[in-house]
Amino acid sequence: MASSTTASPAGAISAESTPPNRLADVLLWLLLVLLTFSLPKPPALELDASWRMGLTYFLEHGYAFGRDIIFTYGPLGFLLGRTYSGDLLWALIGWQLLQAAVAATLIMKLGRHLHGVSRFFFYAFFVLFGVGYEDALHTILIVLLGWSMIRKLAVAEEKPSLVLPAIFFGLLSVIKFTNLMLSGVVVVVVVAFAVLRRRPSFAYWLVSIYAGTFLALWVACSQPLSALPSYVINSLDISAGYQATMGLPTPFAPFWKAGCILLLIAGYIGWHLRTQTDRMRSAACFLILGAFLYLNWKHGFVRADGHMLGFFYSTLLVSLSFPALFDEHGRSLWIARALLIPVAFLSIWGVRDALTPVVDWAGNITNEKVVKNLRAITAWPTVRQDLNNQLTLQRTNADLPKTRAVVAKSSIDVLGFEQGVALFNQFNYTPRPVFQSYSAYTPRLDEINADFYASSRAPDYALLKLQTIDERPLMLDDSQVLRIFPHYYQFVLAEKGFQLWRRRATAPSADQLALRPLKELSLPVGLTRTLGELECQPLWAVIDLPPSLIGRVRNFLYKPPVVQLRVVDNHQHEEIYRLPLMAARAGFLLNPLVTDIDSYIESQGGKPKRWVHSLELTVDAGDARYFAPSATVKLSAVTPSNAKPEYDRQLERAKYSMFSLVPDETT
């Protein structure tokens, strides 16, 4: 949609130097700053707020990212999470101001290459949409800086900006691992292009400043350089597990639009490469574009909910900016417009599919954000007080006085995904590496957490709250930890939905913890298999359903289909779970059937009521070709702990806490 009609240099300077134009530019720049800037999010005791506040805590307490903390965010990840936890408020504000200024400046600078209606739509995109989704904004800024450098490197007399973009790349890379990957791709492409264009000094300084900034910020955040390899390896593992585990079914409406968009962009790329004379420049830009679209496609359509906004924003950006990047004109421009104008319409339509109000109420949302930020400027003490009031309220609601009296200053972890309870109570929070249970979704990550709990680094106490997401089996998340946990810890008390457990004085024996292989069976997809003589025995199951060849291709380009586990118990009651296959390869407690905290306790030396009689793996008929015909199921015997009798004695003792001895009889 962007025009490539260029005025003469003199005309451009004259036009841009007139006072009305300068005033309009300043006002638009201020508007973009106001729209990009976001106030800190209020604290809350829920999944997302917990990990966001946790990132602040981990940085302040010197945890090594990649080793002590395994997540797809880096040491400065709290800046993107921007959830207030009582600390680093000015760091959040300062980052938002810096990010807003950089974004507004870059958008204004690139917009000057467009004219007329094309410039209007380019700026309108950012005013209404482009700066509102911060995850997508980071990737947009990275690729815009990369395209801008390539555009200028292609002209011999041009001197591209170098220092500030390289520093900004380094800063974004310390915030999130995906930023590190995308920035790395952009830097490699720009460096290769600079070398091929015989500008090696530019390539040298870009790499040096980018790498130097990243390493300097890493060290400034009290991160050991020795943790960097672990950060990369473990972040890759958690990223691979994300697409295999966290996927949600994609609605058909946004999916077909995304498919059409990709075909149209592919057509544009083919036409462009055929008609442009500087194909090296085009190839460099398209390499960056490929990484940009692939990253946003995977991020958006693996967990196909509001995350899809990032993909449609990225394709909308392409439709509005690409012809201008290459100064296309004449027939080339009209063909480009014919291919990219539909991309723009489909992208906006896709945004509406993902989150309808974003399109239907775009003007209202824009206006409300401007008003909100202007009020924040004029009444900052009130805004700050509101955040502190929210923090006080959350601390009151999450207050665990009984737990605090027992734990005092001892170390404590939180099993589940409401780590905010430890932060609000200001406990000595000592997390396992994969600190939210639902994210320990690969065999390696599961084992890392279990090794932590079996080591001397494990906390003195743990707050247990069995939680899962996406209708998974309750024992699938952090499965190895949940298997050994009652052997290492004993129940103390229950408070507000959390159970406090204390680490035992002596470690369990190897025999208590060992898995004893019993049986390996083949489970054809769609066929029910009974457990037979193993039905009423505590069992550990490892389920492996390999992808077919076409399934591997699909997993790389998209995501695995949904697999469900259907179990029928000894009372002929049915449970249907979603079974992420990578997590299933780590294993989980299959028998007895655990559906809540009570049945978990009962499974540890009690008298479980529900035992699995049969199991079945099911997939949609059209998805069967993406898997092998049968899964391999390995069943092992597990030794329950003595937690249930201990639990009953502790509850009985709690009834008579005012007595030194529990009465023999009561009436």
Side-chain angles (χ1 to χ4, degrees):
M1 289 179 68
S3 169
S4 66
T5 307
T6 56
S8 67
I13 294 172
S14 175
E16 292 183 2
S17 63
T18 59
N21 281 351
R22 287 204 303 269
L23 177 60
D25 285 350
V26 169
L27 292 175
L28 181 56
W29 185 87
L30 289 173
L31 176 62
L32 289 168
V33 168
L34 282 171
L35 291 171
T36 307
F37 180 87
S38 294
L39 290 166
K41 298 174 183 176
L45 184 63
E46 50 91 29
L47 187 153
D48 286 328
S50 286
W51 67 254
R52 289 167 180 159
M53 294 186 295
L55 295 176
T56 303
Y57 180 90
F58 304 146
L59 175 66
E60 287 194 300
H61 288 78
Y63 284 90
F65 281 74
R67 190 169 64 200
D68 301 330
I69 298 298
I70 299 175
F71 205 48
T72 53
Y73 284 69
L76 293 180
F78 78 98
L79 296 175
L80 182 55
R82 63 177 178 85
T83 299
Y84 182 58
S85 61
D87 299 308
L88 299 180
L89 175 61
W90 288 111
L92 295 175
I93 298 298
W95 164 248
Q96 286 294 320
L97 288 172
L98 174 63
Q99 177 181 258
V102 170
T105 302
L106 183 59
I107 292 164
M108 293 296 299
K109 193 171 182 180
L110 290 176
R112 292 195 184 103
H113 296 295
L114 289 78
H115 299 273
V117 173
S118 298
R119 180 186 287 192
F120 169 80
F121 280 118
F122 181 78
Y123 287 145
F125 160 67
F126 285 103
V127 169
L128 295 174
F129 307 115
V131 296
Y133 184 28
E134 201 165 358
D135 259 344
L137 178 62
H138 283 195
T139 61
I140 286 171
L141 294 178
I142 290 168
V143 299
L144 285 178
L145 285 169
W147 288 333
S148 180
M149 284 189 283
I150 288 172
R151 188 177 190 278
K152 291 188 175 182
L153 281 169
V155 182
E157 60 272 15
E158 287 273 11
K159 292 184 178 180
S161 300
L162 169 64
V163 176
L164 292 180
I167 291 174
F168 198 63
F169 284 157
L171 178 54
L172 291 177
S173 296
V174 183
I175 290 175
K176 193 174 182 182
F177 181 68
T178 49
N179 290 346
L180 173 61
M181 290 193 295
L182 184 58
S183 295
V185 170
V186 170
V187 168
V188 167
V189 171
V190 173
V191 163
F193 185 71
V195 169
L196 291 172
R197 286 301 171 98
R198 303 176 188 267
R199 301 177 78 167
S201 61
F202 180 92
Y204 169 80
W205 284 110
L206 178 60
V207 171
S208 299
I209 296 172
Y210 169 58
T213 300
F214 177 82
L215 293 174
L217 289 171
W218 184 269
V219 172
C221 292
S222 301
Q223 299 296 302
L225 292 176
S226 60
L228 260 177
S230 297
Y231 176 66
V232 173
I233 292 170
N234 289 329
S235 295
L236 286 171
D237 199 41
I238 204 167
S239 298
Y242 182 90
Q243 77 156 21
T245 307
M246 298 292 289
L248 293 176
T250 304
F252 180 69
F255 183 77
W256 76 257
K257 295 177 183 71
C260 291
I261 286 169
L262 292 175
L263 288 174
L264 288 166
I265 290 177
Y268 166 70
I269 291 173
W271 170 257
H272 179 87
L273 290 175
R274 179 185 174 189
T275 57
Q276 291 296 300
T277 55
D278 193 345
R279 293 183 179 176
M280 187 185 297
R281 178 188 68 170
S282 300
C285 285
F286 287 138
L287 284 173
I288 293 174
L289 173 63
F292 177 52
L293 291 180
Y294 181 77
L295 185 67
N296 280 288
W297 162 260
K298 296 288 276 189
H299 182 71
F301 281 87
V302 167
R303 198 155 183 86
D305 48 18
H307 292 80
M308 292 184 290
L309 287 178
F311 173 78
F312 289 117
Y313 283 174
S314 66
T315 57
L316 188 53
L317 173 70
V318 170
S319 70
L320 295 171
S321 62
F322 247 65
L325 282 172
F326 299 109
D327 296 322
E328 292 180 282
H329 56 277
R331 184 180 175 212
S332 176
L333 173 61
W334 288 108
I335 296 294
R337 281 178 166 172
L339 290 166
L340 292 181
I341 286 176
V343 169
F345 282 110
L346 287 169
S347 297
I348 294 173
W349 199 358
V351 169
R352 192 176 187 278
D353 287 336
L355 281 174
T356 302
V358 172
V359 174
D360 289 0
W361 299 95
N364 300 66
I365 294 170
T366 298
N367 180 66
E368 286 176 7
K369 188 165 188 182
V370 170
V371 171
K372 181 180 179 180
N373 284 337
L374 287 174
R375 285 176 177 169
I377 293 171
T378 57
W380 171 245
T382 302
V383 172
R384 186 172 184 179
Q385 187 58 50
D386 286 344
L387 287 171
N388 286 323
N389 289 344
Q390 285 285 336
L391 182 61
T392 301
L393 176 63
Q394 292 297 325
R395 285 176 174 171
T396 300
N397 292 340
D399 188 36
L400 301 178
K402 295 178 183 178
T403 300
R404 188 182 305 105
V406 174
V407 173
K409 297 297 182 182
S410 300
S411 57
I412 189 170
D413 188 19
V414 181
L415 292 174
F417 54 67
E418 292 181 4
Q419 288 71 30
V421 71
L423 304 178
F424 291 142
N425 282 275
Q426 298 177 293
F427 291 146
N428 179 15
Y429 177 38
T430 306
R432 60 205 179 284
V434 187
F435 59 95
Q436 287 196 314
S437 292
Y438 73 90
S439 289
Y441 41 46
T442 73
R444 187 169 180 275
L445 297 173
D446 205 14
E447 186 177 344
I448 287 173
N449 273 2
D451 288 345
F452 173 81
Y453 262 85
S455 73
S456 59
R457 298 176 294 129
D460 301 318
Y461 292 88
L463 282 169
L464 173 64
K465 188 173 186 179
L466 290 182
Q467 297 171 302
T468 190
I469 62 173
D470 299 340
E471 300 178 335
R472 303 179 192 174
L474 194 57
M475 299 302 290
L476 190 68
D477 297 344
D478 249 339
S479 59
Q480 294 280 9
V481 170
L482 292 178
R483 179 175 70 84
I484 67 174
F485 180 74
H487 294 278
Y488 281 97
Y489 289 77
Q490 61 186 27
F491 173 78
V492 179
L493 59 85
E495 187 174 18
K496 290 187 177 180
F498 292 91
Q499 290 190 349
L500 179 66
W501 293 61
R502 179 191 293 115
R503 193 164 179 86
R504 300 178 186 273
T506 58
S509 66
D511 289 341
Q512 286 178 279
L513 300 178
L515 293 171
R516 301 182 299 281
L518 295 173
K519 194 173 188 179
E520 181 175 317
L521 53 89
S522 175
L523 180 60
V525 175
L527 194 68
T528 300
R529 175 81 70 173
T530 60
L531 295 183
E533 72 278 5
L534 301 179
E535 180 176 313
C536 292
Q537 180 173 340
L539 293 176
W540 180 264
V542 175
I543 301 177
D544 184 14
L545 178 62
S548 62
L549 178 60
I550 190 174
R552 293 179 188 277
V553 174
R554 172 188 165 123
N555 295 351
F556 176 77
L557 296 175
Y558 185 36
K559 61 185 174 187
V562 172
V563 177
Q564 291 185 321
L565 173 66
R566 175 181 172 269
V567 298
V568 177
D569 68 10
N570 53 326
H571 305 292
Q572 296 303 304
H573 294 151
E574 179 184 84
E575 301 283 351
I576 297 178
Y577 301 103
R578 185 173 166 214
L579 188 70
L581 293 178
M582 190 170 285
R585 293 187 192 111
F588 62 100
L589 184 67
L590 175 68
N591 230 359
L593 188 59
V594 173
T595 57
D596 53 27
I597 187 63
D598 291 334
S599 54
Y600 176 65
I601 298 295
E602 203 67 46
S603 73
Q604 301 299 314
K607 297 178 180 178
K609 297 180 177 62
R610 302 184 69 184
W611 297 90
V612 174
H613 169 71
S614 66
L615 61 157
E616 177 186 353
L617 293 180
T618 63
V619 299
D620 288 345
D623 292 332
R625 66 183 182 275
Y626 298 114
F627 299 103
S630 298
T632 299
V633 180
K634 297 179 180 178
L635 299 174
S636 301
V638 294
T639 302
S641 71
N642 200 39
K644 171 59 176 175
E646 294 172 341
Y647 177 84
D648 289 340
R649 287 196 297 270
Q650 187 64 22
L651 287 182
E652 187 69 18
R653 187 176 295 113
K655 293 179 183 178
Y656 304 101
S657 58
M658 71 290 295
F659 298 102
S660 58
L661 295 173
V662 176
D664 292 330
E665 293 184 17
T666 60
T667 58

